[in-house]
Amino acid sequence: MNHPVFTPSVSIPSARLAETDPELSCLLAAETARQRDKIRLIASENYASAAVREACSSHLTNQYSEGYPGARYYEGQQIVDQVERLAIARAKELFGAEHVNVQPYSGSPANLAVYLAFLKPGETVLAMRLAHGGHLTHGSKVSITGKHWNVVQYGLDPETKRLDYDAIRALALEHRPKLLIAGHSAYPRQIDFAAFRAIADEVGSLLMVDMAHFAGLVAAGAHPSPVPFADVVTTTTHKSLRGPRGAMILCRAEHAAKIDKAVFPGLQGGPHNAITAAIAVALKEALQPDFAEYGRQCVANARALAERLIEHGFDIVTGGTDNHLVLVDLRSKGIAGKPLAAALDRAGLVANYNSVPWDDRPPQDPSGLRLGTPSMTTRGFREGEFRQVADWIAGIVASGLDEDVIARISAEALALASSFPMP
Ligand SMILES: *Cc1c(COP(=O)(O)O)cnc(C)c1O
């Protein structure tokens, strides 16, 4: 009997990206250069390590794994089960959590999974108002969370611009939420998790903390941990935690089955296995002693930035910061956030315009600027470099966004960025 000789009828592309798709390859090279040459100050961004990026592009991207380790709907899970278990074990160790789900595709689906796990449509949630620093997924009207659930929102104290726990308690007593959410995207202070726990216990609600922004600081010991207080903690993995774009849900053991069922099959299909591997790598990095130093430095840098901006006469929301972000209220400077952010970008300083509490301008053209320290702390910036950044921002504002000043600063910013290589 003659055995046929296998000749593939379709050739499998083996060339690298630059040969297969030079157009796209050029775009990626340009983005790498942009991240290298600019001073990146977006509070939700970072630089993942080469090891994390390598795991993201591994062959795990080829594989389907619906289900959980030891309970999958596909064969061929011998290796990926170990990968996912490693990621889970490291997350438990790092945060002291009883149960961890590493499969959510990103922060927004992680939060939606918590709603799905505990709430029927129309039930009541109490969460922070977007305009005061909350997140879209905390019940904003434009988010599915605000359309399918009855979300009551708390804000800040008008005087101190800080969380007002008495006011939150009063709202909780009035509305009896099934779920109380703490966490933010633009609040420059620590949260009193014990106070939130007490409110949740008093009204019989579940407490979820969304630590997407400050998870890296928690891992580093530079911010109190919500894990001992919350029923459920959600987090992205790509912000201050410095991993791949993804998310995790940490919860008490009693909620494990509900959370896992909500993520899969409730909301998602197969997990992104390469990302799971990259999360495992990032968690290993976060368990090293130098990560604690990074977290401490993120906070020290944010304080130095805020203090110098105050010396330049800027109005900083709450008068300072105790985390990785600084919120600048530009109203006293007579300039809006959007034109300033655009001018800063031309000067090589990348930030985002942001609403400030009780903003009289619309969210698409607000009065504030949000600045964050994680990215440049990862590249080695310390207080001195962040004071320099504050001086440049002040110079650009004082010049009335003069293009000659912007051009001079862009050359100086490029020179500074060049001496702090990116991973
Ligand atoms: C960034 C963020 C999210 C959403 O994360 P995505 O990955 O962008 O979906 C959720 N909650 C908070 C508080 C965030 O800051």
Side-chain angles (χ1 to χ4, degrees), residues 67-155:
Y68 290 99
R72 306 279 194 189
Y73 290 80
Y74 295 77
E75 296 309 316
Q77 310 297 315
Q78 296 87 347
I79 312 300
V80 77
D81 273 8
Q82 297 176 63
V83 170
E84 189 167 334
R85 285 195 175 112
L86 199 53
I88 291 166
R90 288 174 179 170
K92 284 184 178 176
E93 182 185 348
L94 184 62
F95 293 109
E98 291 177 7
H99 178 78
V100 178
N101 187 309
V102 295
Q103 295 192 5
Y105 298 145
S106 210
S108 302
N111 286 349
L112 192 53
V114 176
Y115 284 76
L116 186 63
F118 297 115
L119 305 167
K120 293 198 246 333
E123 287 191 312
T124 301
V125 176
L126 178 58
M128 189 170 182
R129 185 168 301 139
L130 180 64
H132 286 195
H135 189 260
L136 284 166
T137 55
H138 297 185
S140 163
K141 275 288 162 220
V142 296
S143 154
I144 184 171
T145 56
K147 295 183 199 295
H148 287 226
W149 287 279
N150 173 40
V151 183
V152 179
Q153 297 194 301
Y154 59 84

Side-chain angles (χ1 to χ4, degrees), residues 40-46 185 212-213 236-242 245 324-325 352 370-375:
R40 295 169 62 235
L41 302 165
I42 293 180
S44 51
E45 293 185 346
N46 215 323
S185 301
H213 253 264
T236 53
T237 47
H238 49 273
K239 296 180 184 175
S240 58
L241 192 55
R242 213 159 72 184
R245 302 198 79 81
H324 62 296
L325 70 85
N352 65 279
R370 189 184 66 162
L371 302 166
T373 56
S375 298

